[in-house]
Amino acid sequence: MQNLYIQLFSIHGLVRGTNVEMGRNADTGGQVKYVLELARALGEREEVRKVDLFTRLIREKTFSTAYSRPIEKLSNKTRIIRIQCGGGKYIRKELLWPHLDEYIDRVLKFIKDENDIPDIIHGHYADAGYVGKELATLLGAPLVFTGHSLGRIKKQRLLEDGLKEEEIEKQYHIEQRIHAEEEILGMADKIIASTHQEVEEQYAFYESSPSTDFQVIPPGIDLSRFFPFFDETFTDIEAVEERDNIKQAQFYMQKELERFLSNPEKPFILALSRPDRNKNITGLISAYGMDKELQAISNLAVFAGIRKDITNKDENERQVLTELLLLMDKYDLYGKLAIPKRHDFEYEVPELYRMAARSQGVFVNPSFNENFGLTLIEAAASGLPIVATDDGGPQDIIHNCQNGILVDVTNHEAIASALKKILINAELWKEYSQNGVQYARSHYSWQTHCRQYLDQAQNLPLQIQAEEQPPDRGTVGKRLTKLKKLFITDIDDTLIGNDEALNELLRLIEDNRDRIGFGVATGRDIDSVIEVIEAYNLSHPDIIISSVGTEIYYGPKLLPDKGWRTHISARWDRSGIKTILDGLKFLSPQEERAQRKYKLSYYIENPEENLAHIHYLLTRNRLRYNIIYSGGRFLDILPYKASKGKAVRYLHYKWNVPLSNILVSGDSGNDEEMLRGELLGVVVGNYSPELDQLRGQRHIYFAKKTHAAGILEGFKQYAFDSEN
Ligand code: GLC
Ligand code: MG
């Protein structure tokens, strides 16, 4: 296995290659770090040709311009690709859902521009998992997924916290997330989890879980940053500047601790986490506050994120931080408890672990639940023994590293006595410290992770020799990203009606299939399109635009274009329109199958007089709509953003085919919009009178012959099947 192109997706939060703003907001934390390090490490493997980490482009004053750069190079083979969706403003992850289909469209465009199809698509978290799933379906690439955390577990926890179902939904849009996760699990070729507990107790809550292929591969840590405390020579570090940064970090952190502590030379207990209720910082402070002996032998340093003014924090964080201050006062921990307001992650955090280790201290993670526990491994690698919650990730870590004690974190005495056990026993301290340094390196390096990752990749349905594959393998998206031209035609009275000419046209399409895509655009609903395809033996179209442009499908598997659906749904009040029109005498509803979610269809009498009245009624009621009148009697009401013409333009944008490379043919009013403009329009000889007004327009050719013979004439006129 060689030459892999891997696309990683991690959409939310603030992602950049240097000075990651960890903890700046709730979406910029462990996952961001994980994907950046994974991207870099994969890019170092020789089996890998290219790694792109896709995230969201953010262009907003209060954020660094780094987040608005479309491409950031991380190394020779690795890049961050930023794609905009839902505008330029920062959007928290729970509110990204309505914009993800736009994201997908723009990624497709990017892929087409680069002319490079990924071999593996790897989504991180439900949002990017959704994007990955859609792209993998379109491109026929295997899908890998890493949840990082899961909606069902989160919901359950919030319910336990006493939140009501409606509140949870309103704030977190959790049902959409859970639904997406189910679908992702149902389709992913591989799920990469960090711990066994994640698989057994978290993914297990999902219905699609039993049929899913899980692989536990713990993440690595950046060992060049988390080197052991005794390594005074900084073995891995050559640059002088780097050493200076580390020394400076040490100086600042020391000063910071001295601000709080009366006896800063004592061993200190270090805790490091966001001020989230689940992290149970207050439990730790109570444990320390209630134990005089523990206070006598050690200090406690709690780094709970970055804060300027607690009153400006969101409610959850504000509560935790306030409680923390109250506990400090209650147990009178002045001079013993340090609660610094800031720290950076680049140099100060790694240095903090080493400082704690040099003081013969302990790292503690008192979280109620810990999915993974990255900080525990960082502490281990630095040579700092740990005390951690008896849950999930920590269980695996202590099993692998033999460097500390698991405790029931709801029990204050248990926390205190585990800490004391290590602090008092120098032999035990040393054993834990050495084990951590050694085993963190063998179990939790990104090199180890990538080796296992690429081993797993071998079992994926990779399609590296894509060129040699037949087009119809569910990889219609891949095909579309390669096509230079599109031919899109109406069906009734345009494509069909003259069998002999139709067969000639179909042969022409077949002969040019590697360059020219074939699509139909029709008023028929999708089922009746399928009937025509079968009845006339049409080679399966790449694209079907059905129900007068309100639905788009791809390939023989009829993959729906969800981006289009989302796009046209804007301000569509179907029942509002129906109520007004159903009462009109000159309209009679078409049969049931003609009525679609985004299409209301009638037969109209005396259109010349009555169309204006319909406009009047709908406009007066402030309804948004698009009216399509055709064939002398058909009337379709569509969302204002929908029509066959708009659908064709959307395809031009999405698949990045220039308008002047799209040939469109039609015969009646519902074809009018798609014939206009820069596209190459062909009106067949047997057209309906409503198209007469197009005569004389640029780029519209009125053929003399009828039906498919007229289309063939148009092909000739534009030399459409020529090689350029
Ligand atoms: C097709 C559809 C019909 C629509 C007409 C014109 O005949 O079945 O519902 O009104 O096209 O667009
Ligand atoms: Mg027609």
Side-chain angles (χ1 to χ4, degrees), residues 228-230 268 270 351-362 379 382-385 429 433:
F229 71 96
F230 49 78
F268 72 91
L270 175 65
E351 193 47 37
L352 270 175
Y353 292 116
R354 287 188 289 268
M355 285 166 64
R358 271 183 227 114
S359 82
Q360 303 275 300
V362 179
S382 312
L384 180 61
W429 190 94
S433 172

mmCIF file with all atom_site columns, all heavy atoms in Angstrom, residues 228-230 268 270 351-362 379 382-385 429 433:
data_model
loop_
_atom_site.group_PDB
_atom_site.id
_atom_site.type_symbol
_atom_site.label_atom_id
_atom_site.label_alt_id
_atom_site.label_comp_id
_atom_site.label_asym_id
_atom_site.label_entity_id
_atom_site.label_seq_id
_atom_site.pdbx_PDB_ins_code
_atom_site.Cartn_x
_atom_site.Cartn_y
_atom_site.Cartn_z
_atom_site.occupancy
_atom_site.B_iso_or_equiv
_atom_site.pdbx_formal_charge
_atom_site.auth_seq_id
_atom_site.auth_comp_id
_atom_site.auth_asym_id
_atom_site.auth_atom_id
_atom_site.pdbx_PDB_model_num
ATOM 1   N N   . PRO A 1 228 ? 10.949 14.075 29.645 1.00 0.00 ? 228 PRO A N   1
ATOM 2   C CA  . PRO A 1 228 ? 10.994 13.864 31.096 1.00 0.00 ? 228 PRO A CA  1
ATOM 3   C C   . PRO A 1 228 ? 11.685 14.997 31.858 1.00 0.00 ? 228 PRO A C   1
ATOM 4   O O   . PRO A 1 228 ? 12.550 15.673 31.318 1.00 0.00 ? 228 PRO A O   1
ATOM 5   C CB  . PRO A 1 228 ? 11.789 12.575 31.242 1.00 0.00 ? 228 PRO A CB  1
ATOM 6   C CG  . PRO A 1 228 ? 11.940 12.009 29.894 1.00 0.00 ? 228 PRO A CG  1
ATOM 7   C CD  . PRO A 1 228 ? 11.663 13.049 28.889 1.00 0.00 ? 228 PRO A CD  1
ATOM 8   N N   . PHE A 1 229 ? 11.288 15.145 33.102 1.00 0.00 ? 229 PHE A N   1
ATOM 9   C CA  . PHE A 1 229 ? 11.779 16.255 33.932 1.00 0.00 ? 229 PHE A CA  1
ATOM 10  C C   . PHE A 1 229 ? 13.275 16.188 34.171 1.00 0.00 ? 229 PHE A C   1
ATOM 11  O O   . PHE A 1 229 ? 13.924 17.194 34.369 1.00 0.00 ? 229 PHE A O   1
ATOM 12  C CB  . PHE A 1 229 ? 11.040 16.256 35.282 1.00 0.00 ? 229 PHE A CB  1
ATOM 13  C CG  . PHE A 1 229 ? 11.418 15.126 36.196 1.00 0.00 ? 229 PHE A CG  1
ATOM 14  C CD1 . PHE A 1 229 ? 12.379 15.312 37.179 1.00 0.00 ? 229 PHE A CD1 1
ATOM 15  C CD2 . PHE A 1 229 ? 10.822 13.869 36.066 1.00 0.00 ? 229 PHE A CD2 1
ATOM 16  C CE1 . PHE A 1 229 ? 12.736 14.267 38.032 1.00 0.00 ? 229 PHE A CE1 1
ATOM 17  C CE2 . PHE A 1 229 ? 11.178 12.832 36.896 1.00 0.00 ? 229 PHE A CE2 1
ATOM 18  C CZ  . PHE A 1 229 ? 12.138 13.024 37.883 1.00 0.00 ? 229 PHE A CZ  1
ATOM 19  N N   . PHE A 1 230 ? 13.837 14.962 34.146 1.00 0.00 ? 230 PHE A N   1
ATOM 20  C CA  . PHE A 1 230 ? 15.267 14.840 34.472 1.00 0.00 ? 230 PHE A CA  1
ATOM 21  C C   . PHE A 1 230 ? 16.139 15.056 33.243 1.00 0.00 ? 230 PHE A C   1
ATOM 22  O O   . PHE A 1 230 ? 17.335 15.069 33.306 1.00 0.00 ? 230 PHE A O   1
ATOM 23  C CB  . PHE A 1 230 ? 15.558 13.466 35.090 1.00 0.00 ? 230 PHE A CB  1
ATOM 24  C CG  . PHE A 1 230 ? 14.982 12.325 34.289 1.00 0.00 ? 230 PHE A CG  1
ATOM 25  C CD1 . PHE A 1 230 ? 15.592 11.880 33.133 1.00 0.00 ? 230 PHE A CD1 1
ATOM 26  C CD2 . PHE A 1 230 ? 13.793 11.707 34.701 1.00 0.00 ? 230 PHE A CD2 1
ATOM 27  C CE1 . PHE A 1 230 ? 15.049 10.834 32.404 1.00 0.00 ? 230 PHE A CE1 1
ATOM 28  C CE2 . PHE A 1 230 ? 13.247 10.667 33.974 1.00 0.00 ? 230 PHE A CE2 1
ATOM 29  C CZ  . PHE A 1 230 ? 13.869 10.230 32.820 1.00 0.00 ? 230 PHE A CZ  1
ATOM 30  N N   . PHE A 1 268 ? 4.141  19.688 44.737 1.00 0.00 ? 268 PHE A N   1
ATOM 31  C CA  . PHE A 1 268 ? 2.782  20.137 44.470 1.00 0.00 ? 268 PHE A CA  1
ATOM 32  C C   . PHE A 1 268 ? 1.958  19.170 43.632 1.00 0.00 ? 268 PHE A C   1
ATOM 33  O O   . PHE A 1 268 ? 2.490  18.423 42.808 1.00 0.00 ? 268 PHE A O   1
ATOM 34  C CB  . PHE A 1 268 ? 2.741  21.574 43.933 1.00 0.00 ? 268 PHE A CB  1
ATOM 35  C CG  . PHE A 1 268 ? 3.206  21.805 42.534 1.00 0.00 ? 268 PHE A CG  1
ATOM 36  C CD1 . PHE A 1 268 ? 2.317  21.754 41.468 1.00 0.00 ? 268 PHE A CD1 1
ATOM 37  C CD2 . PHE A 1 268 ? 4.539  22.129 42.277 1.00 0.00 ? 268 PHE A CD2 1
ATOM 38  C CE1 . PHE A 1 268 ? 2.742  22.012 40.172 1.00 0.00 ? 268 PHE A CE1 1
ATOM 39  C CE2 . PHE A 1 268 ? 4.970  22.389 40.988 1.00 0.00 ? 268 PHE A CE2 1
ATOM 40  C CZ  . PHE A 1 268 ? 4.064  22.323 39.932 1.00 0.00 ? 268 PHE A CZ  1
ATOM 41  N N   . LEU A 1 270 ? -0.757 18.696 40.893 1.00 0.00 ? 270 LEU A N   1
ATOM 42  C CA  . LEU A 1 270 ? -1.141 19.490 39.728 1.00 0.00 ? 270 LEU A CA  1
ATOM 43  C C   . LEU A 1 270 ? -2.447 18.974 39.126 1.00 0.00 ? 270 LEU A C   1
ATOM 44  O O   . LEU A 1 270 ? -2.621 17.764 38.938 1.00 0.00 ? 270 LEU A O   1
ATOM 45  C CB  . LEU A 1 270 ? -0.030 19.410 38.674 1.00 0.00 ? 270 LEU A CB  1
ATOM 46  C CG  . LEU A 1 270 ? -0.285 20.073 37.316 1.00 0.00 ? 270 LEU A CG  1
ATOM 47  C CD1 . LEU A 1 270 ? -0.415 21.580 37.462 1.00 0.00 ? 270 LEU A CD1 1
ATOM 48  C CD2 . LEU A 1 270 ? 0.833  19.732 36.329 1.00 0.00 ? 270 LEU A CD2 1
ATOM 49  N N   . GLU A 1 351 ? 6.017  22.385 30.610 1.00 0.00 ? 351 GLU A N   1
ATOM 50  C CA  . GLU A 1 351 ? 6.952  22.708 31.678 1.00 0.00 ? 351 GLU A CA  1
ATOM 51  C C   . GLU A 1 351 ? 6.316  22.493 33.056 1.00 0.00 ? 351 GLU A C   1
ATOM 52  O O   . GLU A 1 351 ? 6.984  22.067 33.999 1.00 0.00 ? 351 GLU A O   1
ATOM 53  C CB  . GLU A 1 351 ? 7.440  24.146 31.498 1.00 0.00 ? 351 GLU A CB  1
ATOM 54  C CG  . GLU A 1 351 ? 8.641  24.533 32.324 1.00 0.00 ? 351 GLU A CG  1
ATOM 55  C CD  . GLU A 1 351 ? 9.790  23.524 32.295 1.00 0.00 ? 351 GLU A CD  1
ATOM 56  O OE1 . GLU A 1 351 ? 10.041 22.920 31.237 1.00 0.00 ? 351 GLU A OE1 1
ATOM 57  O OE2 . GLU A 1 351 ? 10.430 23.321 33.347 1.00 0.00 ? 351 GLU A OE2 1
ATOM 58  N N   . LEU A 1 352 ? 5.022  22.754 33.145 1.00 0.00 ? 352 LEU A N   1
ATOM 59  C CA  . LEU A 1 352 ? 4.334  22.547 34.421 1.00 0.00 ? 352 LEU A CA  1
ATOM 60  C C   . LEU A 1 352 ? 4.427  21.103 34.905 1.00 0.00 ? 352 LEU A C   1
ATOM 61  O O   . LEU A 1 352 ? 4.646  20.839 36.089 1.00 0.00 ? 352 LEU A O   1
ATOM 62  C CB  . LEU A 1 352 ? 2.850  22.903 34.271 1.00 0.00 ? 352 LEU A CB  1
ATOM 63  C CG  . LEU A 1 352 ? 2.453  24.342 34.562 1.00 0.00 ? 352 LEU A CG  1
ATOM 64  C CD1 . LEU A 1 352 ? 0.974  24.529 34.229 1.00 0.00 ? 352 LEU A CD1 1
ATOM 65  C CD2 . LEU A 1 352 ? 2.715  24.664 36.036 1.00 0.00 ? 352 LEU A CD2 1
ATOM 66  N N   . TYR A 1 353 ? 4.239  20.159 33.980 1.00 0.00 ? 353 TYR A N   1
ATOM 67  C CA  . TYR A 1 353 ? 4.348  18.750 34.383 1.00 0.00 ? 353 TYR A CA  1
ATOM 68  C C   . TYR A 1 353 ? 5.747  18.480 34.943 1.00 0.00 ? 353 TYR A C   1
ATOM 69  O O   . TYR A 1 353 ? 5.914  17.801 35.948 1.00 0.00 ? 353 TYR A O   1
ATOM 70  C CB  . TYR A 1 353 ? 4.134  17.815 33.185 1.00 0.00 ? 353 TYR A CB  1
ATOM 71  C CG  . TYR A 1 353 ? 2.741  17.804 32.613 1.00 0.00 ? 353 TYR A CG  1
ATOM 72  C CD1 . TYR A 1 353 ? 2.507  18.247 31.313 1.00 0.00 ? 353 TYR A CD1 1
ATOM 73  C CD2 . TYR A 1 353 ? 1.664  17.298 33.339 1.00 0.00 ? 353 TYR A CD2 1
ATOM 74  C CE1 . TYR A 1 353 ? 1.239  18.213 30.759 1.00 0.00 ? 353 TYR A CE1 1
ATOM 75  C CE2 . TYR A 1 353 ? 0.390  17.254 32.791 1.00 0.00 ? 353 TYR A CE2 1
ATOM 76  C CZ  . TYR A 1 353 ? 0.183  17.721 31.497 1.00 0.00 ? 353 TYR A CZ  1
ATOM 77  O OH  . TYR A 1 353 ? -1.064 17.679 30.944 1.00 0.00 ? 353 TYR A OH  1
ATOM 78  N N   . ARG A 1 354 ? 6.743  19.029 34.251 1.00 0.00 ? 354 ARG A N   1
ATOM 79  C CA  . ARG A 1 354 ? 8.116  18.764 34.697 1.00 0.00 ? 354 ARG A CA  1
ATOM 80  C C   . ARG A 1 354 ? 8.396  19.430 36.042 1.00 0.00 ? 354 ARG A C   1
ATOM 81  O O   . ARG A 1 354 ? 9.062  18.855 36.900 1.00 0.00 ? 354 ARG A O   1
ATOM 82  C CB  . ARG A 1 354 ? 9.111  19.234 33.630 1.00 0.00 ? 354 ARG A CB  1
ATOM 83  C CG  . ARG A 1 354 ? 9.128  18.333 32.398 1.00 0.00 ? 354 ARG A CG  1
ATOM 84  C CD  . ARG A 1 354 ? 10.248 18.697 31.438 1.00 0.00 ? 354 ARG A CD  1
ATOM 85  N NE  . ARG A 1 354 ? 10.010 19.954 30.756 1.00 0.00 ? 354 ARG A NE  1
ATOM 86  C CZ  . ARG A 1 354 ? 9.398  20.065 29.576 1.00 0.00 ? 354 ARG A CZ  1
ATOM 87  N NH1 . ARG A 1 354 ? 8.979  18.992 28.940 1.00 0.00 ? 354 ARG A NH1 1
ATOM 88  N NH2 . ARG A 1 354 ? 9.214  21.246 29.020 1.00 0.00 ? 354 ARG A NH2 1
ATOM 89  N N   . MET A 1 355 ? 7.850  20.642 36.217 1.00 0.00 ? 355 MET A N   1
ATOM 90  C CA  . MET A 1 355 ? 8.051  21.311 37.499 1.00 0.00 ? 355 MET A CA  1
ATOM 91  C C   . MET A 1 355 ? 7.413  20.511 38.630 1.00 0.00 ? 355 MET A C   1
ATOM 92  O O   . MET A 1 355 ? 7.999  20.344 39.702 1.00 0.00 ? 355 MET A O   1
ATOM 93  C CB  . MET A 1 355 ? 7.450  22.723 37.454 1.00 0.00 ? 355 MET A CB  1
ATOM 94  C CG  . MET A 1 355 ? 8.303  23.693 36.658 1.00 0.00 ? 355 MET A CG  1
ATOM 95  S SD  . MET A 1 355 ? 7.395  25.209 36.267 1.00 0.00 ? 355 MET A SD  1
ATOM 96  C CE  . MET A 1 355 ? 7.119  25.862 37.893 1.00 0.00 ? 355 MET A CE  1
ATOM 97  N N   . ALA A 1 356 ? 6.218  20.009 38.363 1.00 0.00 ? 356 ALA A N   1
ATOM 98  C CA  . ALA A 1 356 ? 5.540  19.203 39.381 1.00 0.00 ? 356 ALA A CA  1
ATOM 99  C C   . ALA A 1 356 ? 6.361  17.953 39.672 1.00 0.00 ? 356 ALA A C   1
ATOM 100 O O   . ALA A 1 356 ? 6.501  17.526 40.819 1.00 0.00 ? 356 ALA A O   1
ATOM 101 C CB  . ALA A 1 356 ? 4.139  18.834 38.921 1.00 0.00 ? 356 ALA A CB  1
ATOM 102 N N   . ALA A 1 357 ? 6.937  17.362 38.627 1.00 0.00 ? 357 ALA A N   1
ATOM 103 C CA  . ALA A 1 357 ? 7.733  16.154 38.822 1.00 0.00 ? 357 ALA A CA  1
ATOM 104 C C   . ALA A 1 357 ? 9.006  16.478 39.601 1.00 0.00 ? 357 ALA A C   1
ATOM 105 O O   . ALA A 1 357 ? 9.377  15.753 40.530 1.00 0.00 ? 357 ALA A O   1
ATOM 106 C CB  . ALA A 1 357 ? 8.071  15.523 37.477 1.00 0.00 ? 357 ALA A CB  1
ATOM 107 N N   . ARG A 1 358 ? 9.647  17.584 39.262 1.00 0.00 ? 358 ARG A N   1
ATOM 108 C CA  . ARG A 1 358 ? 10.865 17.970 39.986 1.00 0.00 ? 358 ARG A CA  1
ATOM 109 C C   . ARG A 1 358 ? 10.569 18.196 41.465 1.00 0.00 ? 358 ARG A C   1
ATOM 110 O O   . ARG A 1 358 ? 11.402 17.962 42.319 1.00 0.00 ? 358 ARG A O   1
ATOM 111 C CB  . ARG A 1 358 ? 11.465 19.240 39.372 1.00 0.00 ? 358 ARG A CB  1
ATOM 112 C CG  . ARG A 1 358 ? 12.450 18.930 38.255 1.00 0.00 ? 358 ARG A CG  1
ATOM 113 C CD  . ARG A 1 358 ? 13.080 20.208 37.707 1.00 0.00 ? 358 ARG A CD  1
ATOM 114 N NE  . ARG A 1 358 ? 13.023 20.164 36.255 1.00 0.00 ? 358 ARG A NE  1
ATOM 115 C CZ  . ARG A 1 358 ? 12.317 20.975 35.497 1.00 0.00 ? 358 ARG A CZ  1
ATOM 116 N NH1 . ARG A 1 358 ? 11.607 21.961 36.031 1.00 0.00 ? 358 ARG A NH1 1
ATOM 117 N NH2 . ARG A 1 358 ? 12.308 20.820 34.198 1.00 0.00 ? 358 ARG A NH2 1
ATOM 118 N N   . SER A 1 359 ? 9.352  18.642 41.752 1.00 0.00 ? 359 SER A N   1
ATOM 119 C CA  . SER A 1 359 ? 8.996  18.874 43.158 1.00 0.00 ? 359 SER A CA  1
ATOM 120 C C   . SER A 1 359 ? 8.584  17.577 43.852 1.00 0.00 ? 359 SER A C   1
ATOM 121 O O   . SER A 1 359 ? 8.187  17.589 45.000 1.00 0.00 ? 359 SER A O   1
ATOM 122 C CB  . SER A 1 359 ? 7.851  19.891 43.237 1.00 0.00 ? 359 SER A CB  1
ATOM 123 O OG  . SER A 1 359 ? 6.596  19.245 43.014 1.00 0.00 ? 359 SER A OG  1
ATOM 124 N N   . GLN A 1 360 ? 8.650  16.457 43.114 1.00 0.00 ? 360 GLN A N   1
ATOM 125 C CA  . GLN A 1 360 ? 8.197  15.150 43.625 1.00 0.00 ? 360 GLN A CA  1
ATOM 126 C C   . GLN A 1 360 ? 6.692  15.160 43.892 1.00 0.00 ? 360 GLN A C   1
ATOM 127 O O   . GLN A 1 360 ? 6.207  14.565 44.838 1.00 0.00 ? 360 GLN A O   1
ATOM 128 C CB  . GLN A 1 360 ? 8.939  14.788 44.928 1.00 0.00 ? 360 GLN A CB  1
ATOM 129 C CG  . GLN A 1 360 ? 10.433 14.766 44.811 1.00 0.00 ? 360 GLN A CG  1
ATOM 130 C CD  . GLN A 1 360 ? 10.945 13.442 44.296 1.00 0.00 ? 360 GLN A CD  1
ATOM 131 O OE1 . GLN A 1 360 ? 10.734 12.406 44.895 1.00 0.00 ? 360 GLN A OE1 1
ATOM 132 N NE2 . GLN A 1 360 ? 11.598 13.467 43.142 1.00 0.00 ? 360 GLN A NE2 1
ATOM 133 N N   . GLY A 1 361 ? 5.980  15.830 43.009 1.00 0.00 ? 361 GLY A N   1
ATOM 134 C CA  . GLY A 1 361 ? 4.538  15.952 43.167 1.00 0.00 ? 361 GLY A CA  1
ATOM 135 C C   . GLY A 1 361 ? 3.771  14.863 42.423 1.00 0.00 ? 361 GLY A C   1
ATOM 136 O O   . GLY A 1 361 ? 4.341  13.840 42.004 1.00 0.00 ? 361 GLY A O   1
ATOM 137 N N   . VAL A 1 362 ? 2.478  15.106 42.256 1.00 0.00 ? 362 VAL A N   1
ATOM 138 C CA  . VAL A 1 362 ? 1.584  14.134 41.620 1.00 0.00 ? 362 VAL A CA  1
ATOM 139 C C   . VAL A 1 362 ? 0.635  14.887 40.685 1.00 0.00 ? 362 VAL A C   1
ATOM 140 O O   . VAL A 1 362 ? 0.262  16.026 40.976 1.00 0.00 ? 362 VAL A O   1
ATOM 141 C CB  . VAL A 1 362 ? 0.736  13.381 42.682 1.00 0.00 ? 362 VAL A CB  1
ATOM 142 C CG1 . VAL A 1 362 ? -0.216 12.390 42.029 1.00 0.00 ? 362 VAL A CG1 1
ATOM 143 C CG2 . VAL A 1 362 ? 1.615  12.672 43.690 1.00 0.00 ? 362 VAL A CG2 1
ATOM 144 N N   . ALA A 1 379 ? 1.455  13.753 31.511 1.00 0.00 ? 379 ALA A N   1
ATOM 145 C CA  . ALA A 1 379 ? 2.098  13.683 32.824 1.00 0.00 ? 379 ALA A CA  1
ATOM 146 C C   . ALA A 1 379 ? 3.021  12.465 32.884 1.00 0.00 ? 379 ALA A C   1
ATOM 147 O O   . ALA A 1 379 ? 4.176  12.563 33.316 1.00 0.00 ? 379 ALA A O   1
ATOM 148 C CB  . ALA A 1 379 ? 1.037  13.601 33.924 1.00 0.00 ? 379 ALA A CB  1
ATOM 149 N N   . SER A 1 382 ? 6.215  12.924 31.136 1.00 0.00 ? 382 SER A N   1
ATOM 150 C CA  . SER A 1 382 ? 7.095  13.873 31.806 1.00 0.00 ? 382 SER A CA  1
ATOM 151 C C   . SER A 1 382 ? 7.716  13.291 33.069 1.00 0.00 ? 382 SER A C   1
ATOM 152 O O   . SER A 1 382 ? 8.557  13.921 33.691 1.00 0.00 ? 382 SER A O   1
ATOM 153 C CB  . SER A 1 382 ? 6.299  15.130 32.197 1.00 0.00 ? 382 SER A CB  1
ATOM 154 O OG  . SER A 1 382 ? 5.537  15.580 31.109 1.00 0.00 ? 382 SER A OG  1
ATOM 155 N N   . GLY A 1 383 ? 7.221  12.105 33.468 1.00 0.00 ? 383 GLY A N   1
ATOM 156 C CA  . GLY A 1 383 ? 7.758  11.478 34.681 1.00 0.00 ? 383 GLY A CA  1
ATOM 157 C C   . GLY A 1 383 ? 7.022  11.882 35.938 1.00 0.00 ? 383 GLY A C   1
ATOM 158 O O   . GLY A 1 383 ? 7.570  11.816 37.039 1.00 0.00 ? 383 GLY A O   1
ATOM 159 N N   . LEU A 1 384 ? 5.777  12.303 35.776 1.00 0.00 ? 384 LEU A N   1
ATOM 160 C CA  . LEU A 1 384 ? 4.970  12.723 36.919 1.00 0.00 ? 384 LEU A CA  1
ATOM 161 C C   . LEU A 1 384 ? 3.913  11.649 37.215 1.00 0.00 ? 384 LEU A C   1
ATOM 162 O O   . LEU A 1 384 ? 3.063  11.381 36.372 1.00 0.00 ? 384 LEU A O   1
ATOM 163 C CB  . LEU A 1 384 ? 4.293  14.060 36.570 1.00 0.00 ? 384 LEU A CB  1
ATOM 164 C CG  . LEU A 1 384 ? 3.386  14.709 37.608 1.00 0.00 ? 384 LEU A CG  1
ATOM 165 C CD1 . LEU A 1 384 ? 4.152  15.047 38.879 1.00 0.00 ? 384 LEU A CD1 1
ATOM 166 C CD2 . LEU A 1 384 ? 2.756  15.987 37.022 1.00 0.00 ? 384 LEU A CD2 1
ATOM 167 N N   . PRO A 1 385 ? 3.961  11.012 38.388 1.00 0.00 ? 385 PRO A N   1
ATOM 168 C CA  . PRO A 1 385 ? 2.976  9.973  38.715 1.00 0.00 ? 385 PRO A CA  1
ATOM 169 C C   . PRO A 1 385 ? 1.551  10.534 38.727 1.00 0.00 ? 385 PRO A C   1
ATOM 170 O O   . PRO A 1 385 ? 1.365  11.738 38.901 1.00 0.00 ? 385 PRO A O   1
ATOM 171 C CB  . PRO A 1 385 ? 3.376  9.536  40.132 1.00 0.00 ? 385 PRO A CB  1
ATOM 172 C CG  . PRO A 1 385 ? 4.808  9.913  40.266 1.00 0.00 ? 385 PRO A CG  1
ATOM 173 C CD  . PRO A 1 385 ? 4.970  11.157 39.453 1.00 0.00 ? 385 PRO A CD  1
ATOM 174 N N   . TRP A 1 429 ? 7.014  6.479  44.332 1.00 0.00 ? 429 TRP A N   1
ATOM 175 C CA  . TRP A 1 429 ? 7.022  7.655  43.453 1.00 0.00 ? 429 TRP A CA  1
ATOM 176 C C   . TRP A 1 429 ? 7.975  7.426  42.279 1.00 0.00 ? 429 TRP A C   1
ATOM 177 O O   . TRP A 1 429 ? 7.625  7.632  41.122 1.00 0.00 ? 429 TRP A O   1
ATOM 178 C CB  . TRP A 1 429 ? 7.451  8.911  44.235 1.00 0.00 ? 429 TRP A CB  1
ATOM 179 C CG  . TRP A 1 429 ? 7.248  10.178 43.431 1.00 0.00 ? 429 TRP A CG  1
ATOM 180 C CD1 . TRP A 1 429 ? 6.163  10.993 43.462 1.00 0.00 ? 429 TRP A CD1 1
ATOM 181 C CD2 . TRP A 1 429 ? 8.145  10.739 42.467 1.00 0.00 ? 429 TRP A CD2 1
ATOM 182 N NE1 . TRP A 1 429 ? 6.313  12.027 42.571 1.00 0.00 ? 429 TRP A NE1 1
ATOM 183 C CE2 . TRP A 1 429 ? 7.532  11.899 41.939 1.00 0.00 ? 429 TRP A CE2 1
ATOM 184 C CE3 . TRP A 1 429 ? 9.403  10.376 41.985 1.00 0.00 ? 429 TRP A CE3 1
ATOM 185 C CZ2 . TRP A 1 429 ? 8.127  12.704 40.969 1.00 0.00 ? 429 TRP A CZ2 1
ATOM 186 C CZ3 . TRP A 1 429 ? 9.996  11.170 41.005 1.00 0.00 ? 429 TRP A CZ3 1
ATOM 187 C CH2 . TRP A 1 429 ? 9.372  12.319 40.510 1.00 0.00 ? 429 TRP A CH2 1
ATOM 188 N N   . SER A 1 433 ? 7.163  7.091  38.347 1.00 0.00 ? 433 SER A N   1
ATOM 189 C CA  . SER A 1 433 ? 7.743  8.102  37.479 1.00 0.00 ? 433 SER A CA  1
ATOM 190 C C   . SER A 1 433 ? 8.480  7.452  36.306 1.00 0.00 ? 433 SER A C   1
ATOM 191 O O   . SER A 1 433 ? 8.271  7.801  35.137 1.00 0.00 ? 433 SER A O   1
ATOM 192 C CB  . SER A 1 433 ? 8.681  8.993  38.298 1.00 0.00 ? 433 SER A CB  1
ATOM 193 O OG  . SER A 1 433 ? 9.387  9.850  37.446 1.00 0.00 ? 433 SER A OG  1
#
